[in-house]
Amino acid sequence: MRRFELVLPGSLDECVKALAQAPADSKLLAGGTDLLPQLKNGLLKPACVIDLSGIPRLRSIEAGNGQGLRVGSAVTARTLELDRAVRANYLSLAESGALVGSVQVRNLATLGGNICNAAPSADMAPPLLALDAEAVITGPKGERRVPIAAFFTGVRRTVLAPDELLVELAIPNPGSHSGGSYLRHTPRRELDIAVVGVASQLTLANGRCAKARIALAAVAPVPVRATAAEQALEGQAVTPDLIKRAADLAVEAARPISDQRGSADFRRHLVRVLTRRTLTTALARAGA
Amino acid sequence: MAKQVLNFTVNDEPAEVLVQPWDTLLDALRERMGLTGPKEGCGTGDCGACTVHVDEKPVASCLLLAMQARGHSVRTIEGLGKPGALHPLQDAFVRHGVPQCGFCIPGVIMAAAALLAENPHPTEEEIRYGIAGNLCRCTGYTKMLAAITEAAGAPVGRRS
Ligand SMILES: Cc1cc2nc3c(=O)[nH]c(=O)nc-3n(C[C@H](O)[C@H](O)[C@H](O)COP(=O)(O)OP(=O)(O)OC[C@H]3O[C@@H](n4cnc5c(N)ncnc54)[C@H](O)[C@@H]3O)c2cc1C
Ligand code: FES
Ligand code: FES
């Protein structure tokens, strides 16, 4: 690996100061599962790396009573996979965490790293969009909040300034009449990257859909919501026919490319199938 | 750039080593401490040959910087069992003749040991999922599954 200086802040304040003083090409290090391969293959050559693993606040999960969920940016995919509070009300997020790499990778890989690396295929992004999460960001000028849908600006690009870091994700509690699901398609079942990923979240009131969220991964430069499909569901009684129609509408939100993982047409097909399946599961979970 | 002092626990003993900022935990264990059980297969998180436990959780030691283990407890295959007091998994792997070239085996056993610590009686499906991050070029996994299944539930520290 190329040489670099390694800074080990013990608190968020120390980290913000270190980041402000560090050279512009410095990199924050969370689990390292995206960054270390990039350092090893020479894609990145930062002079300075700042380790987030010594900052306790970034590793905490809080699920206040009805208050929603606050997930520190350095919480691991494995923790999300197993955490009881996450599984109880934010199951699509737990499901996406369970799909990342192998257990050896999931014990390192963090939610913040997945989001900040901003790969179009990032598995934990669609559930965050479907759950209306907000990114809590801090820097020398203080804290700001950005809706997760506005966090991504392009392939491997986010709204973060070079002197800012992601502190946590704030996720409102979808409530007891809400259900979610995340599914992806990969040729190989383990340790593969999503050809398409879909998260759905349905909230019911009086037998109708009060709120629908559908978010897609790997079909555009950034994860996207399928808003036309969401609107078709909201206010309606959700029937298998309506789910089919919503799945067709979801395809319109996709702007897929053809690459070695799959053609654009195949990706559109997958959006339709996975939207139908995740909506069907979300509906069952919302009713249960 | 100066070396940094890494203080951590390795196989239940306190340890202090000088490491370069860019050393991975795998580098520190192998090159600076002579613990060559964990192997570098890929260096990118794909093969699992470098699997060790950090605070009892299996991780790919090729993807974590050595200094990120500061203050933590690391266990390698060298600290899992001893000659004469093998871990039930080591014992079962020997009796089933699982290893062929052996390169992947320390990683497989560390992944399986973490699985059994968490879930002492896994189903075959759970075993497959638990070692999905470990690649073996030789065995075809069949004997591995048999050995892990047999070791499941056997008391830790049983004499071979
Ligand atoms: C074998 C293998 C399999 C994988 N499988 C999957 C998969 O199935 N699905 C998937 O989505 N991904 C997968 N990945 C990619 C990776 O594991 C995930 O994206 C992971 O969540 C990244 O988190 P990390 O903590 O390791 O990030 P790091 O590598 O530490 O960081 C990633 C990037 O984010 C930045 N960053 C990290 N934290 C912050 C912060 N708090 N504020 C600002 N910037 C920050 C870093 O500077 C870096 O640029 C896989 C990786 C490997 C090696
Ligand atoms: S060497 Fe670490 S996973 Fe292959
Ligand atoms: S025994 Fe040779 S790689 Fe597994």
Side-chain angles (χ1 to χ4, degrees):
Chain A
M1 225 175 332
R2 281 271 302 222
R3 299 172 168 221
F4 50 77
E5 184 198 347
L6 178 63
V7 184
L8 306 167
S11 71
L12 202 52
D13 281 352
E14 270 178 49
C15 183
V16 171
K17 284 194 193 109
L19 194 53
Q21 287 163 8
D25 72 339
S26 300
K27 292 305 287 184
L28 292 165
L29 170 66
T33 61
D34 278 315
L35 189 62
L36 257 75
Q38 292 165 10
L39 294 175
K40 289 184 185 197
N41 69 18
L43 197 70
L44 293 174
K45 298 169 178 141
C48 171
V49 171
I50 301 172
D51 173 37
L52 301 176
S53 73
I55 306 172
R57 165 144 182 224
L58 301 184
R59 303 194 77 91
S60 71
I61 290 195
E62 274 175 55
N65 16 347
Q67 291 299 303
L69 189 74
R70 298 159 73 86
V71 186
S73 63
V75 167
T76 65
R78 180 71 172 162
T79 300
L80 293 173
E81 175 185 2
L82 300 176
D83 187 271
R84 284 178 57 191
V86 177
R87 296 196 71 86
N89 287 308
Y90 313 87
L91 187 51
S92 61
L93 186 59
E95 286 177 329
S96 68
L99 288 169
V100 173
S102 59
V103 64
Q104 293 95 324
V105 171
R106 288 195 291 283
N107 275 324
L108 298 172
T110 68
L111 178 61
N114 195 236
I115 301 310
C116 295
N117 189 59
S121 58
D123 279 309
M124 292 186 277
L128 291 177
L129 263 77
L131 288 161
D132 289 328
E134 270 193 325
V136 180
I137 296 167
T138 196
K141 293 185 214 105
E143 202 169 279
R144 63 182 178 118
R145 284 170 165 254
V146 175
I148 191 70
F151 184 79
F152 304 98
T153 55
V155 177
R156 299 195 177 277
R157 301 174 73 94
T158 70
V159 296
L160 288 174
D163 59 0
E164 287 183 318
L165 76 142
L166 177 66
V167 178
E168 63 190 15
L169 281 306
I171 310 176
N173 191 331
S176 53
H177 301 289
S178 190
S181 163
Y182 178 72
L183 290 174
R184 69 173 190 186
H185 175 78
T186 51
R188 192 183 158 206
R189 210 180 65 179
E190 312 288 344
L191 284 110
D192 206 345
I193 303 297
V195 182
V196 168
V198 179
S200 291
Q201 186 78 27
L202 286 176
T203 306
L204 304 180
N206 307 317
R208 286 172 187 273
C209 170
K211 186 168 161 183
R213 290 285 181 273
I214 301 164
L216 318 175
V219 294
V222 298
V224 289
R225 290 229 331 246
T227 44
E230 295 172 0
Q231 280 158 17
L233 289 158
E234 288 180 351
Q236 308 297 315
V238 184
T239 60
D241 271 354
L242 183 57
I243 285 179
K244 255 193 199 144
R245 208 155 65 79
D248 289 340
L249 285 169
V251 177
E252 291 172 17
R255 299 277 173 274
I257 55 166
S258 294
D259 65 9
Q260 77 279 10
R261 292 187 206 287
S263 67
D265 275 345
F266 182 46
R267 286 195 157 98
R268 277 187 278 268
H269 170 70
L270 287 172
V271 169
R272 186 177 290 114
V273 172
L274 296 177
T275 301
R276 181 162 45 74
R277 288 184 190 162
T278 52
L279 282 172
T280 304
T281 304
L283 179 65
R285 288 174 175 170
Chain B
M1 265 162 264
K3 284 192 180 175
Q4 288 170 310
V5 184
L6 168 60
N7 276 293
F8 63 153
T9 303
V10 178
N11 296 332
D12 303 314
E13 301 285 339
E16 183 177 291
V17 275
L18 283 177
V19 297
Q20 296 288 7
W22 52 88
D23 280 347
T24 62
L25 176 59
L26 181 63
D27 294 333
L29 293 170
R30 288 182 58 87
E31 311 299 332
R32 310 212 182 266
M33 304 184 72
L35 293 167
T36 55
K39 310 273 187 274
E40 179 159 61
C42 62
T44 52
D46 295 288
C47 77
C50 65
T51 303
V52 303
H53 298 176
V54 174
D55 301 335
E56 300 180 357
K57 298 188 185 86
V59 302
S61 64
C62 68
L63 288 186
L64 133 125
L65 291 182
M67 286 306 291
Q68 290 185 292
R70 66 194 184 282
H72 293 278
S73 175
V74 173
R75 187 175 304 282
T76 67
I77 187 86
E78 287 89 345
L80 194 69
K82 293 188 195 74
L86 294 181
H87 184 281
L89 278 166
Q90 293 170 313
D91 184 44
F93 270 56
V94 171
R95 279 183 297 99
H96 283 256
V98 180
Q100 289 186 24
C101 81
F103 193 86
C104 70
I105 298 294
V108 173
I109 290 183
M110 293 310 280
L115 170 71
L116 296 191
E118 217 173 77
N119 177 5
H121 304 290
T123 61
E124 184 185 324
E125 191 57 28
E126 286 167 341
I127 296 175
R128 287 180 180 275
Y129 187 58
I131 60 167
N134 295 83
L135 296 180
C136 175
R137 296 179 56 162
C138 309
T139 70
Y141 307 99
T142 306
K143 284 187 175 181
M144 246 179 227
L145 284 171
I148 297 168
T149 305
E150 192 190 284
V156 174
R158 190 183 60 178
R159 292 189 169 267
S160 54

